């Protein structure tokens, strides 16, 4: 299969996950760019942030039109995580790539297990400023350190820490994803990496289209189903990335 076809297919899958689950952009894009398209880890994490920003904005607009975004909770998360994300992003440049990959896999596994074990909230719960800011700061630090948008951690945090329903957490997490990804990409502005735009642009195009389809999928699926799918995807990626880090 040619690299162009692989880029088109991988982009569609990443966009579909992001639109349906409010996450999955970086956590699926980074491995795809490295193992399918031959990007270096540094180039893959930088390119993935570009993909995540564009597709997240697309998916966020779709969720917002459906009224599935908790703007207050998302804004608190995003604002609290900006500075930690920038600081952690700068520190990550001094950490070996194998260590970052192992941490990436471990966090994915923990988040996936937590989502699979927890039932979907029956009530909206109360969203306090302190809890939202604390969770957002921690999320920003972790996602900035790993160079990802953070949707794969934002969704579990919104559901489990703030008791936001899964249907609303999916859309709300996209606001956090965009903010963290912009900060992480800005922190990498002075890093010299080569991005193959002949593969990145097709990947980005199908990712955007997939994000719109993902939103329609999310509207038809139950909250419990989304949580199980999300958790399963996280565990599968964690196993694959963990194996790579060890080998």
């Amino acid at each position: 299969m040619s690299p162009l076809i692989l880029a088109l297919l991988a982009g569609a899958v990443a966009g579909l996950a992001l639109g349906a689950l409010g996450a999955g952009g970086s956590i699926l894009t980074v491995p795809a760019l490295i193992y399918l398209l031959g990007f270096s880890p540094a180039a893959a994490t930088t390119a993935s942030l570009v993909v995540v920003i564009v597709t997240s904005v697309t998916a966020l607009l779709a969720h917002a039109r459906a009224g599935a975004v908790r703007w207050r909770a998302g804004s608190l998360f995003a604002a609290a995580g900006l500075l930690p994300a920038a600081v952690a992003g700068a520190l990550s440049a001094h950490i070996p790539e194998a260590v970052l990959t192992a941490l990436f896999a471990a966090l994915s596994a923990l988040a996936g297990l937590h989502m699979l074990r927890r039932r979907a909230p029956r009530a909206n719960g109360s969203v306090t400023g302190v809890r939202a800011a604390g969770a957002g700061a921690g999320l920003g630090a972790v996602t900035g350190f790993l160079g990802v948008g953070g949707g794969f951690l934002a969704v579990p945090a919104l559901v489990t820490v703030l008791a936001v329903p899964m249907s609303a957490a999916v859309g709300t997490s996209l606001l956090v994803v965009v903010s963290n990804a912009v900060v992480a990409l800005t922190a990498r502005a002075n890093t010299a990496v080569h991005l193959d735009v002949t593969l990145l642009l097709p990947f980005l195009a199908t990712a955007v289209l997939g994000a719109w389809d993902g939103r329609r999928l999310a509207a038809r699926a139950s909250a419990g189903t989304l949580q199980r799918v999300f958790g399963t995807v996280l565990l599968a990626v964690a196993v694959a990335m963990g194996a790579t880090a060890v080998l």
Side-chain angles (χ1 to χ4, degrees), residues 33-34 37-48 50 188-200:
L33 291 174
I34 294 174
L37 304 181
F39 279 55
S40 68
T45 54
T46 300
S48 74
V50 176
R188 294 163 181 260
N190 296 325
T191 303
V193 294
H194 171 70
L195 301 181
D196 188 346
V197 294
T198 62
L199 294 178
L200 179 57

Side-chain angles (χ1 to χ4, degrees), residues 53-217:
I53 290 170
V54 176
T55 53
S56 294
V57 169
T58 301
L60 176 61
L61 292 175
H63 281 270
R65 289 177 60 186
V69 178
R70 297 293 178 87
W71 293 103
R72 180 173 179 268
S75 297
L76 288 170
F77 256 70
L82 293 182
L83 181 59
V87 174
L91 292 176
S92 67
H94 305 288
I95 306 298
E97 291 179 349
V99 175
L100 291 176
T101 300
L103 291 174
F104 192 97
L107 284 171
S108 299
L110 288 175
L113 288 172
H114 203 59
M115 292 298 287
L116 287 174
R117 294 175 57 187
R118 188 176 181 86
R119 296 179 179 177
R122 296 184 179 180
N124 291 348
S126 59
V127 180
T128 65
V130 174
R131 293 180 67 188
L139 177 65
V142 172
T143 56
F145 187 72
L146 295 177
V148 298
F152 73 104
L153 291 176
V155 172
L158 287 167
V159 172
T160 61
V161 176
L162 301 180
V164 174
M166 183 65 182
S167 57
V170 169
T172 305
S173 73
L174 292 167
L175 179 61
V176 182
V177 166
V178 172
S179 301
N180 284 344
V182 169
V183 170
L185 184 61
T186 302
R188 294 163 181 260
N190 296 325
T191 303
V193 294
H194 171 70
L195 301 181
D196 188 346
V197 294
T198 62
L199 294 178
L200 179 57
L201 291 181
F203 190 107
L204 179 59
T206 54
V208 170
L209 294 175
W212 282 104
D213 290 335
R215 166 56 198 155
R216 288 194 289 268
L217 177 63

